[in-house]
Amino acid sequence: MQLSRLILPALLLIALPVAYSPAAAEAAIGVAMDDFSYTDTSAEPANQTAAHERRLSAFMAALRRDIGADGRYRPVASAEDGAAFKVIGGIQKTSTLVQWAKVAVIDVGARKLVMDKLYTFRGDNDESWQRAEMFVSREIMAALATPAPVALAVFEFELEDTTAASAGASATSDASYLAEVTTSVREALGQSGRYRIVEVSAEATKARALRDCGGCEAAIAQKLGADQSLIGVVRRVSRTEYTLGFQVRDARTGAVLARGDSGLRLGADYSWKRGAVRLVSERLVETR
């Protein structure tokens, strides 16, 4: 059963111009929707092409009507006509009583999928198609109402150490603990669903201290395709005392969007990871 063929060609052929402007945020959001494809591989002896065409036409009309009835959205013909989202899909009948529907929603401006799901429904009569349409329309509207994750470039956390032992043999362990901090923060933010973590290579920062570069990390993040940048610093006050700080900037404008500072904390270097994850989670995830 090659269900991916129902939707993949449409995905490949869609042009995704940036047509939606944030200036129209108060207006209804444009949603373009192509007619779904239909494939019957049930091998039933009776030719039901006419019935399937009629039911699919009614399905699409109801789907567009339901989306348009929600005041937040307005059906439009295409992305060129102001669509912020595009809905595509296909239905395949695999046996007398079993049909599958593949549905995807594309954020046109961000050029990314916000929904890509496969559903099954039983029956091939008007009532079963109507039930399927009602369920699919709710799923689509839920996807439309869910903000797309922010593309975030999380740069390697840096160490600011002014203790007497700062140049000693602890450099290797410090680097290891800092790497753990960065990895854990990326994982926590990525798992929150609010952020899509953009890969940052070591070469991207060119071995300079981002905390002292006057916001240069924003431009680097933009080149990496991120919406925002995050830099973080562990400040060692003593061998058992430290503070943590981070700053988030808009990658396009460089404006500071969020910052946080832990204040003085007690704990050895192995506790940096726990403190950093808690700080960014409290300021960037739990408060939004």
Side-chain angles (χ1 to χ4, degrees):
M1 184 169 56
Q2 297 177 338
L3 295 168
S4 61
R5 291 184 179 177
L6 295 172
I7 198 167
L8 185 57
L11 279 170
L12 293 175
L13 292 173
I14 290 173
L16 298 176
V18 181
Y20 177 65
S21 169
E26 297 300 321
I29 299 171
V31 179
M33 187 182 306
D34 290 343
D35 285 340
F36 288 9
S37 63
Y38 190 83
T39 305
D40 186 352
T41 58
S42 64
E44 292 179 302
N47 186 336
Q48 301 185 72
T49 301
H52 290 152
E53 289 178 350
R54 176 179 58 80
R55 287 172 182 149
L56 180 61
S57 177
F59 179 97
M60 296 307 304
L63 199 55
R64 293 186 175 100
R65 184 174 61 248
D66 287 349
I67 300 299
D70 187 312
R72 295 171 296 176
Y73 312 110
R74 58 184 175 88
V76 296
S78 68
E80 288 77 9
D81 297 307
F85 294 93
K86 188 170 183 68
V87 180
I88 56 177
I91 299 173
Q92 179 174 357
K93 182 175 182 178
T94 58
S95 68
T96 302
L97 294 177
V98 178
Q99 303 199 75
W100 295 81
K102 187 87 160 62
V103 184
V105 178
I106 302 167
D107 183 323
V108 174
R111 296 176 170 85
K112 66 181 70 171
L113 285 170
V114 297
M115 170 183 160
D116 185 12
K117 292 186 177 181
L118 180 65
Y119 307 98
T120 182
F121 62 98
R122 295 184 63 80
D124 186 13
N125 54 35
D126 292 349
E127 183 181 358
S128 64
W129 277 75
Q130 290 166 5
R131 288 197 305 266
E133 183 280 326
M134 288 188 289
F135 181 82
V136 170
S137 69
R138 289 196 298 268
E139 290 281 288
I140 290 174
M141 284 189 283
L144 293 173
T146 302
V150 174
L152 179 66
V154 178
F155 293 94
E156 297 287 340
F157 271 63
E158 299 174 352
L159 177 63
E160 188 176 301
D161 188 353
T162 59
T163 65
S166 61
S170 62
T172 300
S173 60
D174 287 345
S176 176
Y177 288 127
L178 284 172
E180 288 183 1
V181 169
T182 304
T183 298
S184 298
V185 167
R186 287 171 176 164
E187 289 177 350
L189 292 177
Q191 291 171 3
S192 73
R194 296 182 182 275
Y195 297 96
R196 176 175 60 85
I197 305 304
V198 175
E199 184 177 354
V200 178
S201 65
E203 293 76 17
T205 60
K206 298 181 180 178
R208 50 183 161 173
L210 296 181
R211 66 183 184 275
D212 297 325
C213 75
C216 68
E217 72 276 6
I220 299 172
Q222 186 179 34
K223 291 179 180 178
L224 295 173
D227 302 317
Q228 298 176 9
S229 64
L230 183 150
I231 59 171
V233 181
V234 178
R235 304 181 188 90
R236 177 182 279 142
V237 179
S238 71
R239 299 310 298 178
T240 57
E241 296 174 315
Y242 68 97
T243 66
L244 289 161
F246 76 88
Q247 187 165 263
V248 176
R249 290 181 183 270
D250 183 287
R252 184 176 60 85
T253 66
V256 175
L257 302 176
R259 55 164 55 97
D261 198 299
S262 68
L264 186 64
R265 294 187 179 221
L266 297 176
D269 41 16
Y270 53 77
S271 65
W272 295 350
K273 175 178 69 175
R274 183 173 64 250
V277 169
R278 180 177 177 182
L279 178 64
V280 297
S281 296
E282 288 176 348
R283 302 298 176 87
L284 298 181
V285 178
E286 297 171 9
T287 60
R288 298 191 176 190

